[in-house]
Amino acid sequence: MNAPAARLLHGFLEPCLLSLLEGQPDYGLSLAQRLEAAGLGPIPGGTLYPALLRLEKRGLVTAFRKPSTSGPARKYFELTPEGAVELTARRQEWRSFATTAGAIIEGQHARQEAPS
């Protein structure tokens, strides 16, 4: 992951994970591949798995093991009802932040005089 992407992803990885888990349970490697395919670049395991553990500890996802045809059982993560509520809140926060930050970055904000 390049430095600019890493800076932007900080703080947004957890809602991205919640969103990916919204439709179906998934396991870590698959989630990392989906994030990379979406354009976020490679997400190191040392970043991904602690984020999943934080979500699990907060009760936003649950984990279960499922047998794999290509090796040991995989640990799958599933969105909880509390996680769905959190995802809705984080999406609202994202929309507000993206609108505001986008306007500032694009130079579309109203210029105000600095306080004296």
Side-chain angles (χ1 to χ4, degrees):
M1 177 183 326
N2 63 41
R7 281 194 308 273
L8 290 172
L9 187 59
H10 181 74
F12 297 105
L13 179 57
E14 290 180 10
C16 287
L17 290 169
L18 292 174
S19 185
L20 291 177
L21 293 171
E22 183 178 33
Q24 64 189 27
D26 208 350
Y27 60 97
L29 178 59
S30 175
L31 289 165
Q33 291 168 340
R34 291 170 66 193
L35 289 166
E36 185 171 4
L40 294 181
I43 308 296
T47 299
L48 178 73
Y49 290 101
L52 287 166
L53 183 59
R54 285 190 302 272
L55 293 172
E56 187 178 5
K57 284 183 176 181
R58 291 174 50 207
L60 304 177
V61 300
T62 57
F64 61 92
R65 298 232 177 244
K66 187 174 177 182
S68 170
T69 58
S70 61
R74 292 185 172 141
K75 186 175 183 179
Y76 277 75
F77 299 89
E78 183 172 32
L79 192 67
T80 64
E82 294 83 5
V85 170
E86 177 74 9
L87 177 57
T88 298
R90 296 297 290 272
R91 282 178 171 158
Q92 290 172 332
E93 290 172 3
W94 169 253
R95 286 183 197 107
S96 176
F97 174 81
T99 300
T100 302
I104 293 169
I105 290 170
E106 297 298 329
Q108 299 169 357
H109 54 63
R111 188 173 283 260
Q112 296 180 0
E113 292 192 29
S116 338

